[in-house]
Amino acid sequence: MDRNPFSEAEIDGRLAKLRNLLGGRNLDAAVIASPENVFYLTGLDHWGYFTPHLLVVPQEGKPVLVTRANERWTIEKRVKAAEFRSHSDSETAADVAAQVLADLGLLSKQVGLEYWTAGLSHGLALALQSKADAKWSDVSGLVDKMRRVKSAEEQVLMRRAGKMSDVAASAAIAAISDGASEQEVAAQCMSAMFRAGGHVPGFGPFIRPAARLRETHTTWGDGVYRKGEPVFIELSGCISRYHAPLGRLIHVGQIKDEDIAMAQVNAKAFDAVVDALRPGAIAREVFAAWRAVVDDAGLSDYYRHHCGYLIGVGQPPSWTGGNSVIGLRPDSDIVIETGMSFHILSWLMGTGRGDDFVSNTVLLGDGGAELLTATPAGPIVR
């Protein structure tokens, strides 16, 4: 978070590709508002995205980044591909962005805007459109699709993030025992990751007893772990906003035979997903590979909505890359491509015949599927 993680050539290539896509839609410019996409197109890695950042990308000339005036030092030091136009706290980003559009001769022109992003409030979008008389159209998802395939520079960051995930998971697992404080386990997890060179993740880690398993996005409390109750961990290391999550189920003191048996099914199902991740495959086919193993195990009535999702850039409060989850679902027609990375989850919890959970980040590289997280799958008993 102390530097721009991308080369100038990398950023220039992304902007050129975006302009080509805009040209294909007969657009003269676009206003990018998603924090993940602003980061992707500029390399601006900071915690300032809690306020709007509007990146105006014209077909010709340098992009212009509009945000609060007190971000000037950070942006001018780290962002080389865009000019900075600031607004005071008595103005809004819409006020200045509208003036930028006027200065660039884009009023009455065809301008795209990301409608579907948490980075653009409804009120700010209305204000921008009322102040700038352009011909607006929705370009939501345009940059997001560019981000699906990771470049060589991004893959380096993903691999480093995977190593941070393993460091954090190993520390958490080592700290779990009968009577261990939930807070102490979390502290060991986070401190190990930071000492190893990791950055603050988009959210998590999620570490909680099985009694609170269904509380999807809650984490540790002030209790202690007890023998016989499993502990759920799902976490991600982070390097320059890139994430590589993993998940495990930790058994405290003992494990049931039925859980051992379910872990075997789960491992087979996970491997089936990895084997199915090939260029040209369809996401629903990958899910079907996971489903087939589960069905063969006699669990055809068991329901899961996906077996993984695309992963990479993530701004708080998420590591999924925005306010949506692009999953390997039974109804998804996304085509799998080399360079994509996934958080693959094999989740068999609440089956009535035993419980197990394992997840890893998988990068589909030139040589095939590569696991970026190497923490032993288990079953893990502490």
Side-chain angles (χ1 to χ4, degrees), residues 15 19 56-58 60-65 79-83 104:
L15 288 169
R19 286 177 166 131
V56 181
V57 183
E60 300 291 338
K62 205 168 188 178
V64 180
L65 179 58
V79 176
K80 305 304 180 186
E83 296 178 359
L104 294 174

Side-chain angles (χ1 to χ4, degrees), residues 124-330:
L124 187 65
L126 291 178
L128 177 60
Q129 291 176 321
S130 68
K131 293 173 183 295
D133 184 21
K135 297 173 183 176
W136 297 98
S137 62
D138 186 9
V139 291
S140 300
L142 196 65
V143 181
D144 303 69
K145 288 180 181 178
M146 289 173 55
R147 291 195 286 112
R148 290 180 183 178
V149 174
K150 308 299 185 293
S151 69
E153 288 189 17
E154 291 179 287
Q155 291 182 30
V156 169
L157 297 173
M158 290 290 299
R159 292 186 179 94
R160 289 178 58 197
K163 293 183 185 302
M164 294 302 103
S165 298
D166 285 328
V167 167
S170 295
I173 292 168
I176 293 172
S177 65
D178 183 24
S181 159
E182 294 182 30
Q183 295 165 330
E184 179 61 22
V185 171
Q188 292 295 329
C189 172
M190 297 294 282
S191 64
M193 180 165 58
F194 295 154
R195 289 190 178 103
H199 302 157
V200 178
F203 65 0
F206 302 108
I207 310 175
R208 59 186 183 273
R212 294 196 290 113
L213 178 67
R214 293 183 181 275
E215 299 175 8
T216 308
H217 294 118
T218 68
T219 188
W220 69 87
D222 57 3
V224 297
Y225 297 118
R226 293 299 185 191
K227 181 178 180 179
E229 182 178 30
V231 178
F232 171 89
I233 68 170
E234 185 180 23
L235 55 83
S236 182
C238 176
I239 296 291
S240 298
R241 306 282 20 106
Y242 282 81
H243 295 77
L246 68 78
R248 300 290 187 271
L249 191 66
I250 315 303
H251 300 268
V252 182
Q254 61 190 36
I255 185 172
K256 300 176 182 177
D257 290 343
E258 61 186 18
D259 293 337
I260 295 174
M262 192 55 61
Q264 294 171 346
V265 174
N266 215 18
K268 186 177 180 180
F270 182 91
D271 290 344
V273 174
V274 175
D275 289 343
L277 283 175
R278 298 189 179 95
I282 308 300
R284 62 176 175 270
E285 298 171 346
V286 178
F287 179 86
W290 180 87
R291 183 78 254 180
V293 174
V294 175
D295 290 348
D296 287 346
L299 296 168
S300 57
D301 292 333
Y302 182 78
Y303 171 77
R304 274 296 289 170
H305 57 291
H306 66 52
C307 63
Y309 51 84
L310 283 160
I311 196 71
V313 175
Q315 295 283 0
S318 171
W319 63 43
T320 61
N323 56 321
S324 62
V325 179
I326 310 300
L328 297 169
R329 306 189 314 268

